[in-house]
Amino acid sequence: MAKAREESTLVPTQFRLAGMDWRVVFVETLADLGQCDNDTNTISIRQGMSRQQSEQAFCHELVHAILYTMGNTDDHDEKMVEGFAQLLYQYLRGTT
């Protein structure tokens, strides 16, 4: 089970996919909203964003992590990743 930073956020500090440990870090100097590093099993999220922005960025990067875990190491279709991430976020937040 993922460990959450605080009860009100969907962004964990760590999680497991297919038996592999992943960690989530917040980075001040990140140019993008988020980044998924398959080599180090690390998701980086830009520090200083709102909770909603951080959660949405995490969901986006989580989709990338899942695709990497499934063996899809080619360039991911960003339109598909973002659409999937937004629907995942809506499901997790219980919004419509």
Side-chain angles (χ1 to χ4, degrees), residues 27 29-35 44-47 49 61:
V27 180
T29 58
L30 194 61
D32 295 324
L33 299 180
Q35 182 178 16
S44 300
I45 305 294
R46 183 192 298 165
Q47 191 169 350
M49 296 189 296
E61 300 310 326

Side-chain angles (χ1 to χ4, degrees), residues 5-50:
R5 289 195 185 287
E6 57 186 65
E7 197 171 316
S8 64
T9 184
L10 298 174
V11 182
T13 57
Q14 61 187 13
F15 62 93
R16 290 177 68 86
L17 285 177
M20 298 296 296
D21 292 320
W22 283 76
R23 66 188 181 108
V24 180
V25 296
F26 283 84
V27 180
E28 287 183 26
T29 58
L30 194 61
D32 295 324
L33 299 180
Q35 182 178 16
C36 181
D37 187 335
N38 187 42
D39 293 328
T40 63
N41 290 358
T42 303
I43 289 178
S44 300
I45 305 294
R46 183 192 298 165
Q47 191 169 350
M49 296 189 296
S50 71

